[in-house]
Amino acid sequence: MIADEPTLARLMAASQGGDKQAYTVLLSEVQLWLERYFRRRSAPAMLDDLVQDVMLAVHNKRATWDSSRPFLPWLAAIARYRWIDHLRKVYRSEEDALEDHDAPEDSEEEAVLARLSLERMFGNIPDKQSEAIELVKIEGLSIREAAERTGQSESAVKVNIHRGLKKLAALVEKAD
Amino acid sequence: MTPETGRRAPNPLIDQLAEDLAPVRTLKLRNGLALVTLALVATVLAVEFIKGLWMVGITGDASPFFYIGTGLLLVLGAAAATSVVTMASPRVGNRNEGPKWALAMAMVLPGAALLTLLGKGPSVAALGHTPGLHCLESGVASSLLVAGALVLWLRRGAPVSPNTAGLLVGIASTALGSAAYGLSCQLDSMIHIGIWHAAPVAVGAVVGRFALPPLIRW
């Protein structure tokens, strides 16, 4: 169970003031939250890199969190932004397809996570685009393999990835 | 510390980041808006120094279009600048819808000016007249200080939609810059203000959307 929103906000406020102990606890919680957040939308081999990258971004941009606002929507915006950057960079991974890591359904946290989730972003782009991104950028198939799997031409897969990533980038701050 | 944390190997990055931690001054909306206001005031002072403000307009004796046009540009600039300042502190749930409506509202005057111009037929040639082009160039030039202030603010922040942020910087800075330069312009007809004082915003939007994102991406 990851710390709740008020606890994370309190830890972040203390961290902005320079409290190293609070910051260590916060980053540990952030790491857990991010691992769960990215689990189903990132190749396992990329997960650690992505989490570390977001933690660095949190560190470098910690002055941009406004303590009068909730912490998790801020963290999720940064996580989504770095995730899209990672998708742009990833071309092929040797990993197998993702396993289905169903998060346990519990509490209010799940509702918050669902609202901020990456699935919501995929739900806002056309199926062909999300499918192409998922196969090539997340599962690590080649363009040709993805084309065979989906029945699209190779150039259509490329175009769908390009357009899909562009649309995802515009959806980073949108919740629905 | 959660039970899950207890099971895993400690992440050396966490210790390193905690070691590097120093207190930070958080980005506040009011500070961002104050920076933009300062840049706008400096622009108006520069216009007064270089060109001189048009006192007829300042004292309330210009045509209504002078005040409507300048007012619409100011509202558009304020809405877009506020969104830009907000975008430096990201969060899922930010919608930034304000500038869209302000832009739609500000388009009424150029729309009316174009309709009037088209209705007059042969005078379409007036579009190419020198004073209009001068207002276009000067409006764009007058946007530089505000644009610089907004880009600086975004670079301190963490904008997660650089394309939208760039577009809004272009709109905000040229709307405010054109309004500031407009205070020195003695041509107060609807056609002149509706077209030539609004045109810098179109230029700013294009430049902002395509040239600024690389400056604010992080």
Side-chain angles (χ1 to χ4, degrees):
Chain A
M1 167 113 180
I2 298 169
D4 57 10
E5 166 64 48
T7 307
L8 291 170
R10 208 167 44 246
L11 289 168
M12 183 62 177
S15 304
Q16 285 181 327
D19 183 336
K20 293 185 179 185
Q21 197 178 353
Y23 196 44
T24 305
V25 177
L26 174 75
L27 288 178
S28 304
E29 297 294 330
V30 163
Q31 183 181 5
L32 288 173
W33 193 89
L34 291 172
E35 282 169 357
R36 189 161 67 149
Y37 190 66
F38 289 131
R39 206 161 15 193
R40 294 210 289 176
R41 287 296 179 195
S42 165
M46 298 300 296
L47 183 64
D48 281 349
D49 277 354
L50 186 53
V51 170
Q52 306 273 56
D53 185 27
V54 177
M55 286 169 73
L56 272 173
V58 164
H59 179 74
N60 292 330
K61 296 295 181 182
R62 64 191 185 279
T64 67
W65 177 65
D66 181 347
S67 57
S68 65
R69 294 188 160 184
F71 174 76
L72 286 174
W74 175 80
L75 177 61
I78 289 179
R80 285 178 171 190
Y81 180 67
R82 303 311 297 177
W83 173 67
I84 292 169
D85 251 15
H86 266 250
L87 291 185
R88 285 200 181 105
K89 288 173 196 161
V90 173
Y91 282 99
R92 187 180 170 86
S93 147
E94 295 302 318
E95 291 295 319
D96 295 334
L98 293 175
E99 292 167 29
D100 193 13
H101 297 280
D102 278 329
E105 290 199 12
D106 64 2
S107 76
E108 203 178 313
E109 269 173 47
E110 287 302 320
V112 174
L113 198 63
R115 186 173 163 272
L116 303 174
S117 78
L118 302 173
E119 309 296 330
R120 287 252 173 154
M121 295 176 76
F122 266 144
N124 277 290
I125 65 174
D127 289 345
K128 283 188 174 177
Q129 293 174 6
S130 60
E131 192 180 19
I133 292 171
E134 189 149 3
L135 291 175
V136 177
K137 300 287 186 174
I138 298 175
E139 292 190 21
L141 300 187
S142 66
I143 297 287
R144 178 178 294 178
E145 288 165 340
E148 283 166 7
R149 177 92 71 92
T150 60
Q152 300 174 36
S153 67
E154 289 183 30
S155 57
V157 170
K158 286 181 192 169
V159 168
N160 279 328
I161 290 172
H162 177 73
R163 288 184 181 161
L165 288 177
K166 210 169 163 186
K167 281 186 188 160
L168 285 175
L171 291 169
V172 169
E173 290 188 279
K174 296 202 166 59
D176 45 33
Chain B
M1 190 76 69
T2 64
E4 278 177 79
T5 328
R7 284 200 298 272
R8 62 173 49 244
N11 181 349
L13 179 68
I14 293 179
D15 292 336
Q16 194 186 325
L17 295 180
E19 193 54 41
D20 288 347
L21 185 71
V24 286
R25 273 184 60 197
T26 57
L27 291 190
K28 297 284 184 201
L29 178 69
R30 62 171 181 271
N31 293 345
L33 295 179
L35 181 67
V36 175
T37 307
L38 203 65
L40 179 60
V41 170
T43 304
V44 173
L45 290 175
V47 169
E48 159 68 357
F49 183 71
I50 295 167
K51 183 96 193 296
L53 300 181
W54 184 42
M55 293 318 290
V56 174
I58 305 295
T59 54
D61 295 323
S63 86
F65 299 115
F66 177 85
Y67 304 104
I68 294 170
T70 307
L72 288 173
L73 286 171
L74 284 174
V75 170
L76 173 60
T82 304
S83 279
V84 171
V85 171
T86 307
M87 290 176 95
S89 302
R91 74 187 170 100
V92 172
N94 271 350
R95 294 200 154 271
N96 302 310
E97 299 281 355
K100 286 183 195 166
W101 293 104
L103 186 61
M105 189 179 69
M107 288 293 288
V108 170
L109 197 59
L114 280 173
L115 270 178
T116 308
L117 198 62
L118 289 173
K120 288 182 177 174
S123 66
V124 171
L127 270 175
H129 70 163
T130 313
L133 288 172
H134 181 69
C135 280
L136 168 60
E137 290 161 6
S138 303
V140 171
S142 301
S143 71
L144 294 178
L145 272 180
V146 173
L150 288 171
V151 168
L152 187 74
W153 187 259
L154 285 172
R155 285 174 66 87
R156 283 188 60 201
V160 293
S161 307
N163 292 345
T164 309
L167 174 74
L168 291 178
V169 168
I171 290 174
S173 59
T174 44
L176 295 175
S178 185
Y181 181 76
L183 297 176
S184 72
C185 177
Q186 299 179 16
L187 300 172
D188 59 358
S189 71
M190 182 176 77
I191 289 177
H192 177 78
I193 290 176
I195 292 173
W196 294 108
H197 289 204
V201 180
V203 174
V206 173
V207 172
R209 168 62 184 80
F210 294 102
L212 294 183
L215 295 180
I216 52 188
R217 205 161 270 137
W218 53 281

